[in-house]
Amino acid sequence: MPDSSLLSSRKGDHIRINLDENVHSSITTGLEAYQFIPKAIPEINLEDVDISQMLLMKKLHAPILISSMTGGTPEAEKVNRNLAVAARECGVAIGVGSQRAAIENPALAKTFSIRAYAPDALLFANLGAVQLNYGYSVDECRRAVEMIGADALFLHLNALQEAVQPEGNTRFSGLLDKIEKICRELDIPVFIKEVGWGISSEDARRLASTGITGIDVAGAGGTSWSQVEKYRIEAPHRARIAGTFQGWGLPTALSLELVHAAVPDMILFASGGLRDGLDVAKCIALGATLGGMASPILKASVISEEETVLTIKEIIEEIRICLFACGINNLTSLRNNSSILVKRG
Amino acid sequence: MPDSSLLSSRKGDHIRINLDENVHSSITTGLEAYQFIPKAIPEINLEDVDISQMLLMKKLHAPILISSMTGGTPEAEKVNRNLAVAARECGVAIGVGSQRAAIENPALAKTFSIRAYAPDALLFANLGAVQLNYGYSVDECRRAVEMIGADALFLHLNALQEAVQPEGNTRFSGLLDKIEKICRELDIPVFIKEVGWGISSEDARRLASTGITGIDVAGAGGTSWSQVEKYRIEAPHRARIAGTFQGWGLPTALSLELVHAAVPDMILFASGGLRDGLDVAKCIALGATLGGMASPILKASVISEEETVLTIKEIIEEIRICLFACGINNLTSLRNNSSILVKRG
Amino acid sequence: MPDSSLLSSRKGDHIRINLDENVHSSITTGLEAYQFIPKAIPEINLEDVDISQMLLMKKLHAPILISSMTGGTPEAEKVNRNLAVAARECGVAIGVGSQRAAIENPALAKTFSIRAYAPDALLFANLGAVQLNYGYSVDECRRAVEMIGADALFLHLNALQEAVQPEGNTRFSGLLDKIEKICRELDIPVFIKEVGWGISSEDARRLASTGITGIDVAGAGGTSWSQVEKYRIEAPHRARIAGTFQGWGLPTALSLELVHAAVPDMILFASGGLRDGLDVAKCIALGATLGGMASPILKASVISEEETVLTIKEIIEEIRICLFACGINNLTSLRNNSSILVKRG
Amino acid sequence: MPDSSLLSSRKGDHIRINLDENVHSSITTGLEAYQFIPKAIPEINLEDVDISQMLLMKKLHAPILISSMTGGTPEAEKVNRNLAVAARECGVAIGVGSQRAAIENPALAKTFSIRAYAPDALLFANLGAVQLNYGYSVDECRRAVEMIGADALFLHLNALQEAVQPEGNTRFSGLLDKIEKICRELDIPVFIKEVGWGISSEDARRLASTGITGIDVAGAGGTSWSQVEKYRIEAPHRARIAGTFQGWGLPTALSLELVHAAVPDMILFASGGLRDGLDVAKCIALGATLGGMASPILKASVISEEETVLTIKEIIEEIRICLFACGINNLTSLRNNSSILVKRG
Ligand SMILES: Cc1cc2nc3c(=O)[nH]c(=O)nc-3n(C[C@H](O)[C@H](O)[C@@H](O)COP(=O)(O)O)c2cc1C
Ligand SMILES: Cc1cc2nc3c(=O)[nH]c(=O)nc-3n(C[C@H](O)[C@H](O)[C@@H](O)COP(=O)(O)O)c2cc1C
Ligand SMILES: Cc1cc2nc3c(=O)[nH]c(=O)nc-3n(C[C@H](O)[C@H](O)[C@@H](O)COP(=O)(O)O)c2cc1C
Ligand SMILES: Cc1cc2nc3c(=O)[nH]c(=O)nc-3n(C[C@H](O)[C@H](O)[C@@H](O)COP(=O)(O)O)c2cc1C
C-alpha cells in the first residue's frame, strides 16, 4: 500500500516544479492555426453578449473550467481555497487534483475541501482511472465525491506519466470494464480526462461505450507531465527517458476535432495549453462545452485570491469581446460553429 | 455627453503611442505572399507609365490614400497641415481622423481644416459609425463634411477597439439601418472603413445593401488598435485583455480578396500594413482602387512637410517602377489583373 | 596495395572527428514529421510489452542495432569491447567497422574481435562493397566473417565518401554482379548498407536481384561522412568540395519508405540520425526490423562500458514506453503499422 | 552622349559595392528546394564521368559560364585577365561586362580584351539591349563582338536597374523589333540575358520570335542589381526606392522552369544565385545547357589567377561528384532529367 505522505509530498513537488521549471510541451496545441473571422458590423451590443449556460444542473457564468490540479499539502490547501473563491466569484466550473492521497490518509481530506468556499459551483472530484486496477472500486470513488461534495467525478488517464516514473502504476489492462462498472454504480456523472496527451478517436469510441457522461481531451501543447516527472527523477538516464517524451501526444486542437467527429453527442471539454479567452472560444467553436486551464490559473493562485479572480475575469472578458467582435450573442451560436474560424498554413 | 477635451487628449495619446510603442499587429498582411511577375522586355517607356485616375470627379495623380488619422490637438493640427500639403503636392487622396471631438467642441474644427492647404484634393471626412447609436444622425455627418469641405464621408467601424476600452461605445446593434439612412440623406458619397481588422464577405454583402459607395477593408497586418489601446489602459489586467487581441483580424490581402469576390462592383480601398509602393500595386492588382497608409506617413508628417512629400513621392515612384518592370502602362491594366502575381507558399 | 597503417590511422581520425567536429548532416531524417497517436486507454500493462524477436536464428531483446563503426586501433579496440559488452547485456545486434585494415594487416584482427564479449549476440562483419572492384573476392569476405565469428556480412556502399577523398576508391562499375557472386558463394547472409545517404527505390530493386538478405537504408539526417572527410582533408578547396555535400542524400524516413514500397519483402534496417527510442519505433512502424545508431552510442562507448549499457537501456525503455502508451504489446503489432503515426506539415 | 569616364567609373563602383556591401536578393533561387536522388550503387566509375560538351562549335570541359561582369577600368582589366586565364585552364565559357564604355571610348577596349588569354574559349560579348533605343544599331554590336573576338553576343535586359537609377535609360518600347533586326543582321548568334530578375514565360515566347539563339534566365536569388544601385545613389529617398526592390524578380529555378516549358527548344543558360556545382547540376537537370556564376567568381578573381582557377575547378569537381553519386555518366543523361530530383516543401 502506498505511503500517503509520499503522495502528498509528490503533490508539493508538482506545484514547485510547475512554477519553476520548463514543463512545457515541445509541440503546440494547434489552436494557433485557427483565426476568428471578425464581423466589422457585429450588429449586437457587447453588453448583450451572454456566455452563461446550464451544465449538470448548475449555472455557469462562463464556459471555463479550472482544471484538476492539487490537494494534499498545506500549500495545496491554500491554492485550492483561492481557486474555489475565484470559481464562486466568476461563476466557473472547478476540479480538484487527484484525491488519492486523501483516500489513503483521510486527515488530508480538508486540503481538498473547497465546497465551503464555492457552495454553488460545478465541482469535479478526481481520481486516477488506473487505481481501479490497484484495488480501488466504486467505494473509493464515492468517498472522493463525498469528500468535496462534488457534482461529478473525473477519472484521469495518464499512462505515459505513470510509465516514466520509476515505480509508476502501469497496469492499464482491463480498465474499460472497470470504468463501465463505476459509471453503472456511481450515482453522479463520470467524466474521463487525459492530463496532457489527448484522447484519440479510438479511445473516444471505446470510452463512449462505458457510459461516461463526458470527456476532457486534455491534449498536448501545454503542461507536459513527462517534463514534470523529469524534474522529479534523480537518476540521469531515467530523467532523459522522460525528457524524450516532451513532444508526445495529440495536440489539443487535433484531439478535440478527432473526438468530436468520433463521438459527436458526447459532452466535451478541452484543456491542455489554453492560454487566453480566444483559445477557450476556439475550442467551443470546435465542439467543446468548456475550456479548461491549469498552469495559468495555478500561477495566479499562488499569489492571491484577488489575482486568481482577476485572471479568470480577464479570460471571461476576452471570450465576451471575441464573441462581440464576431457578432455572436451566446454560446449556442458559438458552439460547433467552425465557420467562424479560418485555418492557416 | 462625452468630454471633448478627453477625446482630443486621447488623440494626442494616440499619436505619441503610435510613434513610440510596438503597436504592430502580430500577424502579417498576407501581401508578402504575392510576388510580381516581371517582364524583362516591358516594351514600354518608364516615362509613359501613367498612374493617374479620376475618382469621385477628382483627378488623382497616384492611387494612394493618406488614411484617416488625426485632428483635435495642436500637434494634430500640424500633422494635418503637413499631410494636406503633401496630398496637394503629390496629387493623392486624403482623410482626416475622427471628427467627433470637433463635433462636440466646434473650437477644435480648425485642427481638422485641411481644405485650405489642398484645394483640389479628394478629401474624406471621418466619423465613427457607432456614434449613430449614440445620438448622431445625418446632421453630425453633414457638419463633419462641411467642417472640412469633404468630397465624401468615411464612417469607420472599430468594434474591437471600443470593446477593449474601459468605457468604449460598444452598442453596435442596429447600425446597418442607420448607415442606410445616412446614405439616403447625405448628398455626398458614404464610404465604410475598418481601422485594422478587415471586412468579411458577410460584412461586405450586408454593407452593400445600405447604399454605400465604397469600402476600405483596412485589414490586419499593420497598426493594431488593440495594441494602441493597451498602452493607454492603466489597469494591468485590462491592458492584458487588449494585448490578447494583437493577432486579431482578417489580414489585409485576405479581406480584400474576400470582399472583392463578395461585392465585385463596389469601389474598394485597401489599407492596413501597406508599407511601400509594391504593396499598393499588389492591392490594386487584387481589386482595389486606392491603397491607403497611415503609420508610415504619420512618421514622416511629424518631421516636416518636405519629409511627408518625399515619402509619398517615394511610394509613387515605387508604383511607377513596379508597373514599368511588369510592362504595364496604367492603372486600368493593373486593376484586377491578378495574373501578374504569383502566390508563394 | 594500400598501407594498412594508413587505414587504421584513418579510423583513429574518424573517431576523434566524430566526437569533436560538426559532422551532422544539414538536412533532417524526416522522422521528426511523424508523431505517434497515443492511446489514453492502452488496455495493456507496461510489464507485458515485449519487444524481443528472433532474427537470423538469434534472439534479440530489443530491435536495436549498434551500427558498424570501428576497429583497427587501440582506441577502437576499447570502443568495440564496450559496444560488445553492451550488446550482450542489452540483447541487441551489433556490427563492427570496416575490417579492411585487418584484412590487409592480420595483426589488427584482435581490435575487431568482439565475439568473446558477446557470445550470443547477432553479429555483423563489415567490408566496403567497392573493394570487390579493387581485388577483393569471396575470400576476403570469408576472412572478415571468420575474424569475428559473424552471423552475417554487411557490405557498405559509400560512393560519395570515396569521391570526396583525394584518393578514394571510386570505381563502382560492375559492383552488382560482384555482390551477386558474393551472395552465391558466401554461406552466411549478406546485407547491404549505405553509410548516411540512403538507398533509393531503384537501388533497392537492383540490389534485390542480387540475392542479398537485407538492406540498412542508412539515410541522411545524422552523421554525414562528407563532413567527416572534410575535416580530414588538408587542401582548403578540396575540403570545400566535401562541405558542399553536407545536405546530400535521401533522408532516412524517405529512403525507408521508398525502399519498403519497392521491395516489400526485404528485411530492412533503418539508421542515419536515429536519436532515441521514439525514432527506432517510428522506423519499425514504417517497415524496418531494426533501428541502428552509431554516433550516440559511440559517444557513450568512449566513456565506459556502464555508460554504453545505460545508453542502450534508455533507448530500449523509450521503445517500450512508446509502445505501451500506444497500446501495442509487441513488435509484430508495431511493424508496418503506419496507422499509429500522423504526419505533420 | 554619355560620358564614357562616367560609365567606366560606374564599373569601378560596381566591383567595390559587389565585394563590400549586402547586394544579395532577399529571396532565394528556389534551387534549394530541389534535392538529388543519389544512387548508392552508381555502377559507374568517377573517372568515367564526362561533363564536356560542344556548344557553338566550341568544346567546353564543363557546363559552366563565367557570367558577364566587367571591363572599363584598370581594376576590371585585371579581373578580366584572371577570369580569361581561368576559362582557358578550366575549359569553360566566359562573358565580359557591358562594353558600352569602350564603344563610347575606344581607348578602353583593351580592358575587355580577353581573347589573348583564352584563345579557344567560348566567348560572349555584352551590350545592354536598351541601347538599341538610344542610338545603337548592328554597328555597335559588331564593334563589341570584334573588340574581343567573341563567338556570340549577349544583349542584357535590366529594366529595373535602369529604372531605379536617377538617370537610367528607361525607354524599353519597341525593343523586340530591334532585337530581331540585330539577329538578322549580325553574323554570330545572339543570346538574351537578364541580370538577376529572370525571364517570364511571356518574355520567352516573345523573344523566341526574334530569332535569338539562346536565353540566360539570370533570375533572382543571387546578386540584386537594385541593391547595387542603392549603394550608388546618394539621395536617401531615391536609395530607399531601390531598396524596396530587393525581393523583386522571378527566382532562378522558377524562371528556368517557366522558360523551359514555354520554349522547349531554345538553348537555355541559368544564372543568378548559383553558388556551387550542385546548383549548376540542378539547373541542367531542369533544362539548362550551362550554369552561370558572377559574384562567387568575382570574389576569387580579385585575389589571383590561381584562386580563380581553383574556385572553378572546385565547382567542376562538385558537378562530377554529383553526377557520379547519382550514377550519371554525362550531360546528355543529366539534361532535362528532372526525375533525379525531389522537390521538398
Ligand atoms: C500543477 C498541475 C497539477 C495537475 N494535477 C492534475 C491532477 O491531479 N489530476 C488531473 O486529472 N489532472 C491534473 N493536471 C492536468 C490538468 O488538469 C489538465 O488536464 C491539463 O491539460 C492542463 O494543462 P495546462 O496546464 O496546459 O492548462 C494538472 C495540471 C497542472 C498544471
Ligand atoms: C495614428 C493613427 C490614427 C488613426 N486614426 C483613425 C481615425 O481617426 N479614424 C479612422 O477611421 N481610422 C484611423 N486610423 C486607421 C487608418 O485610417 C487605417 O484604417 C489603417 O488601416 C492604417 O493602417 P497602417 O497604419 O498599418 O497603414 C488611424 C491609424 C493611425 C496609425
Ligand atoms: C564513427 C562512425 C564510424 C562508422 N564507420 C562505419 C564503417 O566502418 N562501416 C560502415 O558500414 N558504416 C560506418 N558508419 C556508418 C553507420 O554504420 C551508419 O550507417 C550510419 O547511418 C549511422 O548514422 P548515425 O551516426 O547518424 O547514427 C560509421 C558511423 C560512425 C558515426
Ligand atoms: C559584379 C557584377 C557585374 C555584372 N555586370 C554585368 C554586365 O555588365 N552585363 C550583364 O549582362 N550582366 C552583368 N552581371 C549579371 C551577371 O552576368 C548574371 O546575369 C547574374 O545573374 C549573376 O548572378 P550571381 O552574381 O548571383 O551569380 C553582373 C554581375 C555581377 C555580380
Side-chain angles (χ1 to χ4, degrees):
Chain A
M1 194 185 121
D3 177 351
S4 73
S5 76
L6 250 180
L7 288 181
S8 59
S9 85
R10 194 200 287 170
K11 273 290 164 190
D13 282 0
H14 283 168
I15 293 184
R16 190 190 47 71
I17 290 171
N18 268 283
L19 296 172
D20 296 351
E21 306 287 356
N22 170 19
V23 296
H24 229 263
S25 171
S26 58
I27 61 173
T28 61
T29 61
L31 293 170
E32 71 285 354
Y34 288 97
Q35 184 95 4
F36 282 97
I37 301 177
K39 287 238 191 327
I41 292 271
E43 282 284 314
I44 57 173
N45 302 333
L46 175 54
E47 67 208 32
D48 298 335
V49 172
D50 176 4
I51 58 171
S52 70
Q53 64 185 332
M54 294 300 297
L55 187 63
L56 306 183
M57 328 271 276
K58 290 286 169 83
K59 168 91 172 187
L60 295 178
H61 288 92
I64 295 172
L65 168 65
I66 302 174
S67 289
S68 315
M69 279 193 274
T70 199
T73 67
E75 170 77 358
E77 185 171 358
K78 205 191 108 201
V79 163
N80 272 339
R81 198 184 49 229
N82 289 346
L83 296 175
V85 169
R88 182 192 67 212
E89 292 298 302
C90 302
V92 301
I94 176 171
V96 292
S98 170
Q99 293 166 260
R100 186 172 154 217
I103 297 286
E104 317 287 343
N105 176 1
L108 299 176
K110 72 175 186 333
T111 65
F112 290 92
S113 301
I114 65 181
R115 182 49 94 195
Y117 303 101
D120 302 321
L122 176 58
L123 185 48
F124 287 85
N126 190 294
L127 281 176
V130 77
Q131 297 311 318
L132 301 175
N133 270 350
Y134 288 81
Y136 278 39
S137 69
V138 75
D139 285 347
E140 282 76 12
C141 293
R142 243 178 234 131
R143 270 151 64 193
V145 168
E146 281 159 17
M147 188 190 302
I148 63 164
D151 300 293
L153 171 68
F154 264 135
L155 291 175
H156 69 254
L157 294 164
N158 64 339
L160 180 58
Q161 184 187 6
E162 298 292 343
V164 298
Q165 289 179 56
E167 279 150 34
N169 294 330
T170 54
R171 299 206 184 127
F172 275 69
S173 176
L175 270 189
L176 276 171
D177 287 349
K178 290 184 180 156
I179 292 170
E180 187 177 5
K181 196 152 181 285
I182 301 296
C183 290
R184 222 170 31 234
E185 297 181 358
L186 200 68
D187 38 11
I188 63 166
V190 176
F191 283 67
I192 287 286
K193 73 188 289 291
E194 238 288 343
V195 301
W197 295 295
I199 303 283
S200 70
S201 316
E202 195 181 327
D203 286 326
R205 272 187 295 264
R206 297 199 293 181
L207 285 166
S209 71
T210 63
I212 55 165
T213 298
I215 293 174
D216 182 342
V217 299
T223 305
S224 157
W225 278 93
S226 52
Q227 283 297 101
V228 176
E229 295 301 338
K230 179 177 129 182
Y231 289 103
R232 289 184 55 240
I233 297 168
E234 270 152 42
H237 279 277
R238 286 283 329 174
R240 274 165 49 182
I241 294 173
T244 293
F245 288 87
Q246 190 176 6
W248 187 261
L250 285 169
T252 297
L254 177 57
S255 177
L256 178 56
E257 291 173 286
L258 292 175
V259 171
H260 186 50
V263 292
D265 298 329
M266 179 73 71
I267 298 179
L268 298 184
F269 302 163
S271 69
L274 278 59
R275 292 297 169 259
D276 56 36
L278 295 180
D279 282 341
V280 174
K282 287 175 187 177
C283 288
I284 296 174
L286 294 172
T289 293
L290 300 183
M293 289 192 211
S295 163
I297 302 182
L298 177 69
K299 274 167 194 146
S301 73
V302 294
I303 299 175
S304 69
E305 204 178 282
E306 199 202 351
E307 181 65 21
T308 317
V309 171
L310 282 173
T311 296
I312 295 173
K313 290 211 161 148
E314 189 185 317
I315 299 163
I316 291 175
E317 199 55 18
E318 289 165 348
I319 300 172
R320 294 186 66 246
I321 293 176
C322 169
L323 265 65
F324 168 64
C326 289
I328 291 178
N329 248 327
N330 55 52
L331 293 181
T332 311
S333 310
L334 176 65
R335 185 156 316 117
N336 256 322
N337 181 359
S338 63
S339 77
I340 62 160
L341 294 174
V342 262
K343 194 168 182 178
R344 294 187 285 210
Chain B
M1 195 185 121
D3 176 351
S4 73
S5 78
L6 249 180
L7 288 181
S8 59
S9 86
R10 196 199 287 170
K11 274 289 166 191
D13 282 0
H14 283 169
I15 293 184
R16 189 189 47 71
I17 291 171
N18 269 283
L19 295 172
D20 296 351
E21 306 287 356
N22 170 20
V23 297
H24 229 262
S25 171
S26 59
I27 61 175
T28 61
T29 61
L31 292 170
E32 72 286 353
Y34 289 96
Q35 184 94 5
F36 281 98
I37 301 177
K39 287 237 193 324
I41 291 272
E43 284 283 314
I44 57 174
N45 302 333
L46 176 54
E47 68 208 32
D48 298 336
V49 172
D50 176 3
I51 57 172
S52 70
Q53 64 185 332
M54 295 299 298
L55 186 64
L56 307 182
M57 329 270 278
K58 290 286 169 85
K59 167 92 172 187
L60 296 177
H61 288 92
I64 294 173
L65 168 65
I66 302 175
S67 289
S68 316
M69 279 193 274
T70 199
T73 67
E75 170 78 358
E77 186 171 358
K78 204 189 108 203
V79 164
N80 272 338
R81 198 185 48 231
N82 289 345
L83 297 175
V85 169
R88 182 192 68 213
E89 292 298 301
C90 302
V92 301
I94 175 170
V96 293
S98 170
Q99 294 166 259
R100 186 172 154 217
I103 298 285
E104 316 287 343
N105 177 1
L108 299 175
K110 72 174 185 335
T111 65
F112 289 93
S113 300
I114 65 182
R115 182 52 94 196
Y117 304 100
D120 302 321
L122 175 59
L123 185 48
F124 287 85
N126 191 293
L127 280 176
V130 78
Q131 297 311 318
L132 301 175
N133 270 350
Y134 288 82
Y136 278 38
S137 68
V138 75
D139 285 348
E140 283 77 10
C141 294
R142 244 178 233 130
R143 271 150 64 194
V145 169
E146 281 159 16
M147 187 189 303
I148 64 166
D151 302 291
L153 170 68
F154 265 135
L155 292 175
H156 68 254
L157 295 164
N158 64 341
L160 180 59
Q161 184 188 6
E162 297 292 344
V164 300
Q165 288 179 56
E167 277 150 36
N169 294 331
T170 54
R171 298 207 183 127
F172 274 70
S173 176
L175 270 189
L176 276 171
D177 287 349
K178 291 183 179 156
I179 292 170
E180 187 179 5
K181 196 153 180 286
I182 301 297
C183 291
R184 222 169 32 232
E185 297 181 358
L186 201 68
D187 38 11
I188 63 166
V190 176
F191 282 67
I192 287 287
K193 70 188 292 290
E194 237 290 340
V195 301
W197 295 296
I199 303 282
S200 70
S201 318
E202 196 181 326
D203 286 326
R205 272 187 294 263
R206 298 198 292 180
L207 285 166
S209 71
T210 63
I212 55 167
T213 299
I215 293 175
D216 182 341
V217 299
T223 306
S224 157
W225 277 93
S226 52
Q227 283 297 101
V228 176
E229 295 301 338
K230 178 178 128 181
Y231 290 103
R232 288 185 56 242
I233 297 168
E234 269 152 41
H237 279 278
R238 287 282 330 172
R240 274 165 48 182
I241 294 173
T244 292
F245 289 86
Q246 189 174 6
W248 187 261
L250 284 170
T252 297
L254 176 58
S255 178
L256 177 56
E257 291 172 286
L258 293 174
V259 172
H260 185 50
V263 293
D265 298 329
M266 179 72 71
I267 297 181
L268 298 184
F269 301 163
S271 69
L274 278 59
R275 292 299 169 257
D276 56 35
L278 295 181
D279 282 341
V280 174
K282 287 175 187 177
C283 289
I284 295 173
L286 294 172
T289 293
L290 299 184
M293 290 192 210
S295 162
I297 302 182
L298 176 69
K299 275 168 193 144
S301 73
V302 294
I303 298 175
S304 70
E305 205 178 282
E306 198 203 353
E307 180 65 20
T308 317
V309 171
L310 282 173
T311 296
I312 295 174
K313 291 212 160 146
E314 189 184 318
I315 299 163
I316 291 175
E317 197 56 17
E318 289 165 348
I319 300 173
R320 294 185 66 248
I321 292 176
C322 169
L323 264 64
F324 168 63
C326 289
I328 290 178
N329 248 329
N330 55 52
L331 293 181
T332 311
S333 311
L334 176 64
R335 186 158 315 118
N336 257 321
N337 181 359
S338 63
S339 77
I340 63 158
L341 294 174
V342 263
K343 193 167 182 180
R344 293 186 287 209
Chain C
M1 194 187 120
D3 177 350
S4 72
S5 78
L6 250 180
L7 288 181
S8 59
S9 87
R10 193 199 288 171
K11 274 290 165 190
D13 281 1
H14 283 169
I15 292 184
R16 189 190 49 70
I17 291 171
N18 269 283
L19 295 172
D20 295 351
E21 306 287 356
N22 171 19
V23 296
H24 229 262
S25 171
S26 59
I27 61 173
T28 61
T29 60
L31 293 171
E32 70 287 353
Y34 288 97
Q35 183 94 7
F36 282 98
I37 302 178
K39 288 236 191 325
I41 292 271
E43 283 283 314
I44 57 173
N45 303 331
L46 176 54
E47 68 208 31
D48 298 335
V49 172
D50 176 5
I51 57 171
S52 70
Q53 64 185 331
M54 294 301 298
L55 187 63
L56 307 183
M57 328 273 275
K58 290 284 169 86
K59 167 94 173 187
L60 295 177
H61 287 93
I64 296 172
L65 168 66
I66 302 174
S67 289
S68 316
M69 279 194 273
T70 200
T73 68
E75 170 77 358
E77 185 171 358
K78 203 190 110 201
V79 163
N80 271 338
R81 198 184 51 228
N82 288 346
L83 297 176
V85 169
R88 181 191 70 210
E89 291 298 302
C90 301
V92 301
I94 175 169
V96 293
S98 170
Q99 294 166 261
R100 185 174 154 216
I103 298 286
E104 316 287 342
N105 176 0
L108 298 175
K110 72 173 187 332
T111 66
F112 289 93
S113 300
I114 64 181
R115 182 49 95 195
Y117 303 101
D120 302 321
L122 176 58
L123 186 47
F124 287 84
N126 190 294
L127 281 176
V130 78
Q131 297 312 318
L132 301 175
N133 271 350
Y134 288 82
Y136 279 39
S137 68
V138 74
D139 286 347
E140 283 76 12
C141 294
R142 243 179 233 130
R143 269 151 64 194
V145 169
E146 281 159 16
M147 187 190 301
I148 63 164
D151 301 292
L153 170 68
F154 265 134
L155 291 175
H156 69 253
L157 295 164
N158 64 339
L160 179 58
Q161 185 188 4
E162 298 292 343
V164 298
Q165 289 180 56
E167 279 150 35
N169 294 330
T170 54
R171 300 206 183 128
F172 274 70
S173 176
L175 270 189
L176 277 171
D177 287 349
K178 291 185 179 154
I179 292 170
E180 187 178 4
K181 195 151 182 285
I182 302 295
C183 291
R184 222 169 32 233
E185 297 180 357
L186 200 69
D187 39 11
I188 63 165
V190 176
F191 283 68
I192 287 287
K193 74 190 288 290
E194 239 287 343
V195 301
W197 295 296
I199 303 283
S200 70
S201 317
E202 195 181 327
D203 286 327
R205 272 187 295 263
R206 298 198 293 181
L207 285 166
S209 71
T210 62
I212 55 166
T213 298
I215 293 175
D216 182 342
V217 299
T223 306
S224 157
W225 278 92
S226 52
Q227 283 298 102
V228 176
E229 296 301 338
K230 178 177 129 182
Y231 289 103
R232 289 185 55 240
I233 298 168
E234 269 153 42
H237 278 278
R238 287 281 333 172
R240 273 166 48 181
I241 294 173
T244 293
F245 289 87
Q246 189 175 6
W248 187 261
L250 284 170
T252 297
L254 177 57
S255 177
L256 178 56
E257 291 173 285
L258 293 174
V259 171
H260 185 50
V263 292
D265 298 328
M266 179 72 72
I267 297 180
L268 298 183
F269 302 162
S271 68
L274 277 59
R275 291 299 169 258
D276 55 35
L278 295 180
D279 282 341
V280 174
K282 286 175 186 176
C283 289
I284 296 174
L286 294 172
T289 293
L290 300 184
M293 289 191 211
S295 163
I297 302 183
L298 177 69
K299 274 167 194 145
S301 73
V302 294
I303 299 176
S304 69
E305 203 179 281
E306 198 203 351
E307 182 64 22
T308 317
V309 171
L310 282 173
T311 296
I312 295 175
K313 290 213 161 146
E314 190 185 317
I315 299 163
I316 291 176
E317 198 56 19
E318 289 165 349
I319 300 173
R320 294 185 66 247
I321 292 176
C322 169
L323 266 65
F324 168 63
C326 288
I328 289 178
N329 249 326
N330 55 54
L331 294 181
T332 312
S333 311
L334 176 64
R335 186 157 315 117
N336 258 322
N337 181 359
S338 63
S339 77
I340 63 160
L341 295 173
V342 263
K343 194 168 182 179
R344 293 187 286 210
Chain D
M1 196 186 118
D3 177 350
S4 72
S5 77
L6 249 178
L7 288 181
S8 59
S9 87
R10 195 199 287 171
K11 274 289 165 190
D13 281 0
H14 283 169
I15 293 184
R16 189 190 46 72
I17 291 171
N18 268 283
L19 296 172
D20 295 351
E21 306 288 356
N22 170 20
V23 296
H24 229 262
S25 171
S26 58
I27 61 173
T28 61
T29 60
L31 293 171
E32 70 287 353
Y34 288 96
Q35 183 94 7
F36 282 98
I37 302 177
K39 286 236 193 326
I41 292 271
E43 283 284 315
I44 57 173
N45 302 333
L46 176 53
E47 67 208 31
D48 298 336
V49 172
D50 176 4
I51 58 172
S52 70
Q53 63 185 333
M54 294 301 298
L55 187 63
L56 306 183
M57 328 270 277
K58 290 285 169 87
K59 167 93 172 185
L60 296 177
H61 287 93
I64 295 172
L65 168 66
I66 302 174
S67 289
S68 315
M69 279 193 275
T70 200
T73 67
E75 171 77 357
E77 185 172 359
K78 203 190 109 202
V79 164
N80 272 339
R81 196 185 51 228
N82 289 345
L83 296 175
V85 169
R88 181 191 69 211
E89 292 297 303
C90 303
V92 301
I94 176 169
V96 293
S98 170
Q99 295 166 259
R100 186 174 154 217
I103 298 285
E104 317 287 343
N105 176 1
L108 299 176
K110 71 173 187 331
T111 65
F112 290 92
S113 301
I114 65 181
R115 181 51 95 197
Y117 304 101
D120 303 321
L122 175 59
L123 186 47
F124 288 86
N126 190 294
L127 281 177
V130 78
Q131 297 311 318
L132 302 174
N133 271 349
Y134 288 82
Y136 278 40
S137 68
V138 75
D139 285 347
E140 283 76 12
C141 295
R142 246 181 231 128
R143 270 152 63 196
V145 168
E146 281 159 16
M147 186 189 304
I148 63 165
D151 301 291
L153 170 68
F154 265 134
L155 291 175
H156 68 253
L157 295 164
N158 64 341
L160 179 58
Q161 184 188 5
E162 298 292 344
V164 299
Q165 289 179 56
E167 278 150 36
N169 294 330
T170 54
R171 300 209 183 126
F172 274 71
S173 178
L175 270 189
L176 277 171
D177 287 349
K178 291 184 179 155
I179 292 169
E180 187 178 4
K181 196 153 181 285
I182 301 297
C183 291
R184 222 169 32 234
E185 297 181 357
L186 201 67
D187 38 12
I188 63 165
V190 175
F191 283 67
I192 287 287
K193 71 187 291 289
E194 239 288 342
V195 301
W197 295 295
I199 303 283
S200 70
S201 318
E202 196 181 326
D203 285 326
R205 272 186 296 262
R206 298 199 291 180
L207 286 166
S209 70
T210 62
I212 55 166
T213 298
I215 293 176
D216 182 342
V217 299
T223 306
S224 157
W225 278 92
S226 52
Q227 283 296 103
V228 177
E229 295 301 340
K230 178 177 128 182
Y231 289 103
R232 289 185 55 242
I233 297 168
E234 268 152 42
H237 278 278
R238 287 283 329 173
R240 273 166 48 181
I241 294 173
T244 293
F245 288 87
Q246 189 175 5
W248 187 261
L250 284 170
T252 298
L254 177 57
S255 177
L256 178 56
E257 291 172 286
L258 293 174
V259 171
H260 185 50
V263 292
D265 298 328
M266 178 72 72
I267 297 181
L268 298 184
F269 302 163
S271 68
L274 277 59
R275 291 298 170 257
D276 56 35
L278 295 181
D279 282 342
V280 174
K282 287 175 187 176
C283 288
I284 295 174
L286 294 172
T289 293
L290 299 183
M293 290 191 211
S295 163
I297 302 183
L298 177 68
K299 275 168 194 145
S301 73
V302 294
I303 298 175
S304 69
E305 203 178 283
E306 197 203 353
E307 181 65 21
T308 316
V309 171
L310 281 173
T311 296
I312 295 174
K313 291 213 160 146
E314 188 185 317
I315 299 163
I316 292 176
E317 197 56 17
E318 289 165 349
I319 301 173
R320 294 186 66 248
I321 293 177
C322 168
L323 265 63
F324 167 63
C326 289
I328 290 178
N329 248 329
N330 55 53
L331 293 181
T332 312
S333 311
L334 176 64
R335 186 158 314 118
N336 257 320
N337 181 0
S338 64
S339 76
I340 64 158
L341 294 174
V342 263
K343 193 167 182 179
R344 291 187 288 209

